C-alpha cells in the first residue's frame, strides 16, 4: 500500500482548492461541504457558479503565479474541474509543495489527443487507428493510410464537438484542415460502433480502484444529451470496462475520479474514445443513483479518505438542459420521479449546459 503524505487523510475542517469554477466545480464544492471541508475556488470569472457555494474565490487567470501561490497557501489539497487548466499551473503548485490531485502527468496526457491515444494503447486500452497531423501533407498521407470517412480533431483543446470535422472525400482535406485553423491535429479512423458507453472510475491514494456501472450515452450535435445507467450490458462487458479503467488509472498513478468514453463495437469489444481526468458529465446520474456519487468520490480520493460504494440503487436517465431548456424548471420540478440540478449560470446561451435532470426509471 502506498505511503500517504503525513497530513493525509485530511480531517473535516481542512480546505480543498479547486482550479475552475463552473458546474463541475460547483458540484464538487457542494460534495466537499457535506463532508465538512471548506473550499476555495480559483477562476478568472468573478462570481462564478462554484464560488457562490464555496468559502472564497481567488479571481485570476489559471497561470497567475501569485494566485497559484495564494491558493497553495490557503488549501491543504488542490484539484481541478476541467482538463484545459494549464498543466504548468499544476506543476507550479506541486513544485511549491502543494498536494495536487490528479497530478500533472495525467493532465498533460489528456490535453494532447495523440499523447492520450498513444498512452491508452500502451496500457492495453485500445483505441481506433489514428495518425498525428501537422501539415496538409501529413493529412493527405493519413487519409491514404486510414481511409475515409475519418475524423480530424485538434490535438489540444476542443470539447462538445468543437475543434473537429469529418472528412468524407479526399478532395475536402484542405478545407477540413482550414476549418480547424491548420492547427496540430489527429486523424482518427471511423469507428463503426453499436453505441457509446462510458465508465466512471476512481482511484484512491492507497491504490484502491472503484468503478461505477456503465452508462449508455446519446449525443445531439456533438453534445451529450442523455446518459442512462446502469446500461443494459452483460457482465463480460462491464468486466472489460473495469479492466480498462484500472489499467488507465494505475498506469498514471492517478488519484481521483476519471471519465472514460467507450465505443461498444459488439461481441464484447470496447474501444476507448477519450478520457477526462476529472468528474464527468456522464457520471451525473450517480447523484441520484448511488449512495456515493462521483463528486463525493473525487473528494474522498484527493483528501485521502477510503473510496465509497459504487453500486447503483436505482436506474437513472440523466438529461442535460441546454440554453433556454432550463426555463422548463417549473415543469421539471413538479415531476415526481425527477430531481433537478441547476448550475447557477446567469446567461442561458444556445447550447450552453445550464442544468441536468435525473429521472428514476
Amino acid at each position: 500500500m502506498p505511503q500517504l503524505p503525513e497530513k493525509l487523510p485530511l480531517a473535516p475542517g481542512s480546505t480543498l482548492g479547486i482550479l475552475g469554477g463552473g458546474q463541475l466545480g460547483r458540484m464538487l464544492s457542494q460534495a466537499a461541504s457535506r463532508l465538512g471541508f471548506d473550499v476555495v475556488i480559483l477562476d478568472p470569472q468573478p462570481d462564478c457558479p462554484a464560488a457562490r457555494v464555496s468559502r472564497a474565490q481567488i479571481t485570476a487567470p489559471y497561470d497567475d503565479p501569485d494566485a497559484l501561490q495564494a491558493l497553495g497557501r490557503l488549501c491543504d489539497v488542490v484539484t481541478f474541474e476541467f482538463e484545459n487548466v494549464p498543466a504548468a499551473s499544476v506543476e507550479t503548485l506541486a513544485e511549491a509543495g502543494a498536494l495536487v490531485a490528479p497530478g500533472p502527468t495525467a493532465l498533460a496526457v489528456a490535453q494532447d489527443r495523440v499523447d492520450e491515444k498513444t498512452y491508452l494503447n500502451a496500457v492495453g486500452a485500445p483505441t481506433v487507428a489514428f495518425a498525428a497531423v501537422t501539415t496538409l501533407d501529413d493529412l493527405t498521407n493519413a487519409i491514404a493510410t486510414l481511409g475515409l470517412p475519418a475524423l480530424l480533431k485538434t490535438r489540444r483543446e476542443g470539447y462538445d464537438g468543437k475543434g473537429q470535422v469529418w472528412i468524407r472525400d479526399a478532395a475536402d482535406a484542405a478545407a477540413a484542415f482550414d476549418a480547424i485553423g491548420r492547427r496540430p491535429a489527429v486523424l482518427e479512423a471511423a469507428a463503426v460502433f453499436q453505441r457509446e458507453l462510458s465508465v466512471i472510475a476512481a482511484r484512491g491514494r492507497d491504490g484502491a480502484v472503484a468503478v461505477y456501472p456503465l452508462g449508455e450515452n446519446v449525443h445531439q450535435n456533438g453534445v451529450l444529451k442523455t446518459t442512462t445507467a446502469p446500461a443494459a450490458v452483460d457482465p463480460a462487458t462491464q468486466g472489460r470496462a473495469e479492466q480498462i479503467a484500472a489499467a488507465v488509472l494505475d498506469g498514471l498513478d492517478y488519484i481521483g475520479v476519471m471519465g472514460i468514453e467507450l465505443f461498444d463495437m459488439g461481441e464484447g469489444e470496447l474501444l476507448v474514445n477519450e478520457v477526462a481526468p476529472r468528474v464527468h458529465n456522464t457520471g451525473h446520474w450517480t447523484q441520484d443513483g448511488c449512495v456515493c456519487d462521483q463528486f463525493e468520490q473525487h473528494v474522498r480520493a484527493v483528501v485521502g479518505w477510503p473510496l465509497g460504494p459504487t453500486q447503483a440503487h436505482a436506474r437513472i436517465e440523466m438529461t442535460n438542459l441546454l440554453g433556454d431548456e432550463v426555463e422548463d424548471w417549473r415543469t421539471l420540478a413538479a415531476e415526481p420521479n425527477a430531481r433537478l440540478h441547476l448550475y447557477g449560470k446567469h446567461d442561458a446561451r444556445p447550447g450552453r449546459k445550464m442544468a441536468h435532470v435525473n429521472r428514476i426509471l
Side-chain angles (χ1 to χ4, degrees):
M1 181 181 296
Q3 185 70 36
L4 292 182
E6 185 175 341
K7 67 178 180 179
L8 295 178
L10 294 182
S14 303
T15 301
L16 171 67
I18 303 176
L19 293 164
Q23 68 265 21
L24 299 180
R26 182 183 178 98
M27 289 182 278
L28 279 170
S29 182
Q30 290 168 324
S33 175
R34 291 197 306 272
L35 298 181
F37 295 102
D38 291 332
V39 177
V40 176
I41 303 294
L42 193 158
D43 192 282
Q45 175 192 328
D47 194 36
C48 63
R52 296 199 300 278
V53 297
S54 302
R55 190 186 82 191
Q57 175 180 358
I58 299 170
T59 305
Y62 298 120
D63 58 357
D64 184 303
D66 293 334
L68 291 170
Q69 184 179 40
L71 185 71
R73 186 171 59 250
L74 288 169
C75 300
D76 298 289
V77 67
V78 178
T79 190
F80 47 86
E81 65 138 14
F82 74 118
E83 62 267 42
N84 287 331
V85 168
S89 296
V90 177
E91 291 172 357
T92 297
L93 283 164
E95 289 169 358
L99 284 176
V100 186
T105 301
L107 189 60
V109 167
Q111 286 179 345
D112 186 299
R113 288 188 170 93
V114 172
D115 291 347
E116 176 187 69
K117 284 183 164 51
T118 301
Y119 167 75
L120 290 169
N121 284 281
V123 296
T127 69
V128 297
F130 67 97
V133 171
T134 304
T135 67
L136 182 57
D137 284 343
D138 291 339
L139 179 56
T140 301
N141 293 334
I143 288 171
T145 300
L146 300 179
L148 294 177
L151 185 58
L152 183 67
K153 296 180 179 179
T154 55
R155 281 185 70 152
R156 302 181 68 83
E157 300 180 339
Y159 58 94
D160 289 346
K162 299 177 178 66
Q164 58 184 256
V165 58
W166 279 99
I167 303 175
R168 304 186 186 280
D169 190 302
D172 298 330
F177 200 34
D178 288 340
I180 64 165
R182 293 186 167 249
R183 296 162 64 189
V186 60
L187 187 70
E188 300 178 0
V192 185
F193 58 92
Q194 296 183 352
R195 56 183 172 170
E196 184 190 284
L197 302 171
S198 59
V199 62
I200 305 299
R203 186 172 181 272
R205 290 188 179 272
D206 60 357
V209 173
V211 184
Y212 289 91
L214 283 161
E216 181 172 348
N217 308 316
V218 175
H219 287 78
Q220 292 181 5
N221 301 317
V223 180
L224 180 71
K225 189 58 183 174
T226 65
T227 295
T228 303
V233 298
D234 57 50
T237 300
Q238 177 71 33
R240 176 61 180 142
E242 292 177 3
Q243 290 174 350
I244 288 171
V248 173
L249 295 171
D250 287 341
L252 292 169
D253 195 19
Y254 191 84
I255 306 298
V257 163
M258 175 181 284
I260 304 174
E261 296 179 3
L262 302 162
F263 293 136
D264 181 0
M265 307 299 290
E267 299 183 354
E269 181 184 6
L270 296 176
L271 298 181
V272 179
N273 178 24
E274 61 183 28
V275 303
R278 53 171 171 80
V279 288
H280 197 254
N281 197 169
T282 64
H284 292 352
W285 71 272
T286 62
Q287 291 174 300
D288 299 294
C290 300
V291 171
C292 179
D293 66 39
Q294 66 163 346
F295 300 99
E296 179 179 326
Q297 192 77 285
H298 186 79
V299 174
R300 282 172 167 266
V302 301
V303 303
W305 284 25
L307 298 182
T310 56
Q311 299 87 350
H313 58 68
R315 192 161 189 257
I316 303 292
E317 181 185 75
M318 186 285 302
T319 302
N320 276 329
L321 302 181
L322 308 177
D324 60 9
E325 291 175 345
V326 74
E327 299 304 327
D328 292 334
W329 62 267
R330 294 174 183 83
T331 301
L332 294 167
E335 287 189 29
N337 291 329
R339 188 177 181 209
L340 186 59
H341 299 262
L342 296 156
Y343 301 156
K345 295 181 179 180
H346 299 306
D347 301 318
R349 298 191 298 270
R352 191 183 194 197
K353 293 174 181 175
M354 300 297 296
H356 68 270
V357 59
N358 283 335
R359 291 183 172 90
I360 300 174
L361 299 179

